[in-house]
Amino acid sequence: MHPNLRFLRMEWITNLFTSTESVAHIVLLYAIVIAVGVYLGKIKIGGVSLGVTFVLFAGIVAGHIHFTAPQAILNFGQDFGLILFVFMIGLQVGPGFFESFRKDGVTLNRLATATILLNIAVMFGCYYLFFDTSNPYNLPMLVGTLYGAVTNTPALGAASEAMSSVFKGDVPQIASGYACAYPLGVVGIILATIAVRFLCKVKLEDEEAQLLAEEATNPHEKPYKMHLRVTNLYLAGRTLMQISEFLNRDFVCSRILHDGEVSIPNSKTIFEVGDELLVVCAEADAEPIKAFIGPEVPGEWNTELEAQPMVARRIVVTRPSMNGKTLGKMHFASVYGVNVTRITRHGIDLFAGRSHHFHIGDRVMVVGPEDNVNRVADMMGNAAHRLNAPNIATIFVGIMLGIILGSLPFFIPGMPEPMKLGLAGGPLIVAILIGRFGYRIKLVTYTTTSANMMLREIGLVLFLASVGIKAGAGFWDTVVAGDGIKYVYSGFLITVLPILIVGVYSRLKYKFNYFTIMGMLAGTYTDPPALAYANGVCSKEAPSIGYSTVYPLSMFLRILTAQIIVLFFCGA
């Protein structure tokens, strides 16, 4: 073979890995970093893995060996990935953001907020105890450590983006601190939650028994069956729909005896004085319903009509007319004779309260007689094929509005720079708002759970790969030869101390069930592995309810406080 030909054959592969201006090189760099990071992130140690966050470590290695790309490309990948990531998170949490502030939800969100503030307080404590405060780069690195300790990548992105407005020249690569704290953060959350159990002397079997007892004694959950005679003259000539709306209480009228014939009523069935009804309602509503309709009387019913098969079916909301309607106004129990037991949106279980707003794409678990469930399915649409086409325009309209909002300067006295919501805060707030209220302006924000996860993960891996590659060049000097061990134990303290304080306080002060506390703490740290552990030790839904109640506000506060810390303290 001719020597020049051999040289040319080797040159193309050399250029592919070294020519940083080549598009092929840049794409190959991202492909290798992301693929290696994702595969290594699946490795479990003690049942716990680092997941997709391992892409950050793969990027650091690539940057350290100078396998890199132009700075402008890395900046674009970091910022665009962050925007896509936080926007899809906003669409996910937006519908439940305002609905989480209900009864116990207010207390749980107050405790979550206290935990977030304690994380920040412990970070500052470590800063003043362990680090040289005259070095302007130590606090920024601890900010990265903070968000590695609480396993919150969007907040890392918000802090990194804010750093660029404070440090005009050499911007600190705070991902190094994040990388030091993240592994122990994942493990520390679970270990600290277990420690709360022993500190409070909790017995898991007693907590399970308590949940069962609450389900059995709750008068709003316990069904009550009664045989009533219509004696209220006001009801004569009125339909079941009208009576249900006027009474404004959930009840199921499963049978009606009219002129000696028993039938199954529907929303248009007309009542007359003297009719006899078989009514099922919540035990707490029994007396008001009897007072309004008529007295309870003895009677026997046609058992053939009673023997309808009961089914549980997951129904997908696809009919546009359902968009924005509230659960309380749909009267599923009173009109359709079914119960809505669970509502899932983008993989998050939402509280099925009367004020819940339905959105296209919601998956609703409906339990009741088969015919009734079929009628509800027809009303909601349940045509999953209609959801296959993505609403891509809504996503980019939202991103456009988010960037505009994030770029607006807010001048606050005493701050060296005007505050901006930035590329993380702006899109997040817009996504939350259109995710909750978009139906009012005819914006369909639905994406399938898989599509949402795909877009979110693409954004996340682009962000992590870019941040890791940029941080890799100085990682050895900053961490290995620098204060790396300090970041590790500072991160562990940031993770553990707030959980121990708030977890024990939640138990002793508010007497919350331990499983609810586990879910609340996992949601405050936005940490799926901690929720998976909690669900593994509890057969009920208490951990998931606690998690979903505080997750939206916690995610928002993590991103907001990241920017506030950087702008108020790191720029001083």
Side-chain angles (χ1 to χ4, degrees):
M1 182 181 295
H2 195 277
N4 290 336
L5 182 60
R6 184 182 296 108
F7 174 76
L8 289 174
R9 284 188 174 182
M10 294 301 297
E11 186 180 28
W12 73 267
I13 194 167
T14 302
N15 289 337
L16 187 61
F17 281 91
T18 60
S19 179
T20 58
E21 301 298 326
S22 164
V23 173
H25 167 84
I26 295 168
V27 174
L28 182 67
L29 166 66
Y30 275 96
I32 291 174
V33 168
I34 292 170
V36 170
V38 170
Y39 279 120
L40 291 179
K42 293 180 179 181
I43 299 173
K44 291 186 177 182
I45 300 176
V48 177
S49 67
L50 296 185
V52 73
T53 308
F54 214 105
V55 171
L56 174 68
F57 297 94
I60 289 173
V61 172
H64 180 67
I65 62 175
H66 305 293
F67 184 31
T68 185
Q71 192 72 16
I73 296 295
L74 294 176
N75 289 340
F76 172 77
Q78 174 182 328
D79 292 341
F80 180 70
L82 176 64
I83 291 168
L84 195 60
F85 179 46
V86 299
F87 187 83
M88 299 313 295
I89 284 178
L91 285 185
Q92 178 195 37
V93 305
F97 185 81
F98 300 97
E99 293 168 4
S100 64
F101 300 103
R102 58 177 178 87
K103 199 180 175 182
D104 289 343
V106 174
T107 302
L108 288 173
N109 276 293
R110 286 210 319 260
L111 292 168
T113 303
T115 306
I116 292 168
L117 295 177
L118 280 172
N119 290 133
I120 297 171
V122 174
M123 180 204 74
F124 278 107
C126 292
Y127 172 62
Y128 288 109
L129 286 174
F130 307 136
F131 291 86
D132 178 9
T133 57
S134 64
N135 186 336
Y137 289 94
N138 277 338
L139 183 56
M141 291 301 295
L142 262 179
V143 172
T145 303
L146 165 65
Y147 293 109
V150 300
T151 67
N152 193 280
T153 308
L156 171 68
S160 298
E161 199 250 334
M163 288 287 178
S164 61
S165 65
V166 173
F167 292 84
K168 300 299 184 183
D170 186 15
V171 179
Q173 298 301 319
I174 63 174
S176 297
Y178 179 95
C180 289
Y182 188 90
L184 272 183
V186 174
V187 177
I189 295 169
I190 297 174
L191 293 178
T193 306
I194 295 172
V196 169
R197 168 186 164 191
F198 289 102
L199 288 173
C200 296
K201 300 180 180 179
V202 171
K203 295 183 178 179
L204 298 184
E205 56 271 21
D206 292 343
E207 301 303 296
E208 288 264 10
Q210 180 190 359
L211 293 176
L212 286 171
E214 288 175 357
E215 290 179 1
T217 58
N218 188 346
H220 297 284
E221 299 291 340
K222 191 174 180 180
Y224 185 85
K225 183 183 292 187
M226 51 191 175
H227 180 188
L228 305 179
R229 178 177 291 120
V230 178
T231 58
N232 187 349
L233 296 176
Y234 174 81
L235 304 184
R238 300 187 184 275
T239 64
L240 177 58
M241 172 75 78
Q242 292 171 324
I243 294 169
S244 175
E245 290 177 348
F246 184 85
L247 187 56
N248 198 29
R249 292 178 185 268
D250 289 338
F251 68 95
V252 176
C253 182
S254 59
R255 303 291 179 272
I256 179 170
L257 176 62
H258 179 75
D259 290 338
E261 294 185 2
V262 176
S263 61
I264 301 174
N266 56 41
S267 59
K268 298 179 181 179
T269 299
I270 296 175
F271 286 6
E272 299 293 346
V273 173
D275 288 350
E276 295 185 9
L277 315 174
L278 185 62
V279 172
V280 180
C281 65
E283 191 175 54
D285 293 333
E287 291 303 321
I289 290 173
K290 284 194 287 186
F292 183 68
I293 295 177
E296 194 167 358
V297 295
E300 297 293 334
W301 292 90
N302 188 329
T303 55
E304 291 183 2
L305 286 175
E306 291 286 343
Q308 286 193 69
M310 299 290 288
V311 298
R313 183 176 304 165
R314 191 174 293 278
I315 296 171
V316 184
V317 178
T318 59
R319 196 178 297 278
S321 61
M322 285 290 297
N323 214 21
K325 289 189 176 181
T326 59
L327 176 61
K329 293 183 178 179
M330 297 305 298
H331 301 290
F332 286 111
S334 58
V335 177
Y336 295 95
V338 299
N339 289 321
V340 174
T341 61
R342 181 180 297 179
I343 301 167
T344 305
R345 184 178 295 154
H346 295 310
I348 292 180
D349 290 334
L350 304 177
F351 175 65
R354 292 178 58 84
S355 61
H356 171 82
H357 288 80
F358 287 105
H359 286 217
I360 288 178
D362 284 356
R363 297 183 179 274
V364 184
M365 181 62 76
V366 178
V367 180
E370 187 171 16
D371 291 343
N372 296 12
V373 172
N374 289 337
R375 285 198 292 269
V376 172
D378 290 339
M379 178 188 66
M380 290 188 165
N382 202 36
H385 64 276
R386 295 182 183 177
L387 304 177
N388 291 336
N391 297 293
I392 198 74
T394 298
I395 294 173
F396 282 96
V397 166
I399 289 176
M400 175 186 68
L401 295 175
I403 291 173
I404 293 172
L405 177 63
S407 300
L408 292 175
F410 299 93
F411 294 93
I412 300 175
M415 288 187 61
E417 296 285 339
M419 181 178 176
K420 296 179 182 180
L421 293 173
L423 297 179
L428 177 71
I429 290 175
V430 168
I432 287 173
L433 292 175
I434 68 173
R436 175 62 180 80
F437 301 108
Y439 67 90
R440 294 186 178 179
I441 55 175
K442 308 301 181 184
L443 274 179
V444 179
T445 59
Y446 173 76
T447 56
T448 64
T449 301
S450 58
N452 183 289
M453 289 295 295
M454 175 64 78
L455 289 173
R456 190 194 320 173
E457 293 294 288
I458 288 175
L460 178 58
V461 296
L462 281 175
F463 169 77
L464 290 173
S466 302
V467 168
I469 295 167
K470 288 167 64 176
F475 187 79
W476 182 271
D477 293 334
T478 303
V479 175
V480 180
D483 293 328
I485 190 64
K486 290 184 180 180
Y487 300 140
V488 171
Y489 63 68
S490 295
F492 188 72
L493 292 175
I494 293 169
T495 300
V496 170
L497 290 181
I499 292 179
L500 296 178
I501 295 170
V502 174
V504 172
Y505 181 78
S506 303
R507 178 69 175 185
L508 299 182
K509 171 68 175 177
Y510 295 105
K511 310 298 182 185
F512 278 120
N513 186 278
Y514 174 67
F515 296 124
T516 300
I517 294 173
M518 292 179 77
M520 181 268 292
L521 292 172
T524 303
Y525 282 69
T526 62
D527 188 57
L531 175 63
Y533 172 76
N535 285 332
V537 297
C538 179
S539 63
K540 302 294 180 183
E541 297 183 358
S544 296
I545 293 173
Y547 184 93
S548 61
T549 298
V550 303
Y551 180 89
L553 179 64
S554 297
M555 181 64 76
F556 175 76
L557 289 179
R558 292 290 186 194
I559 292 174
L560 180 65
T561 54
Q563 295 176 300
I564 291 174
I565 293 169
V566 172
L567 295 175
F568 269 90
F569 298 100
C570 295

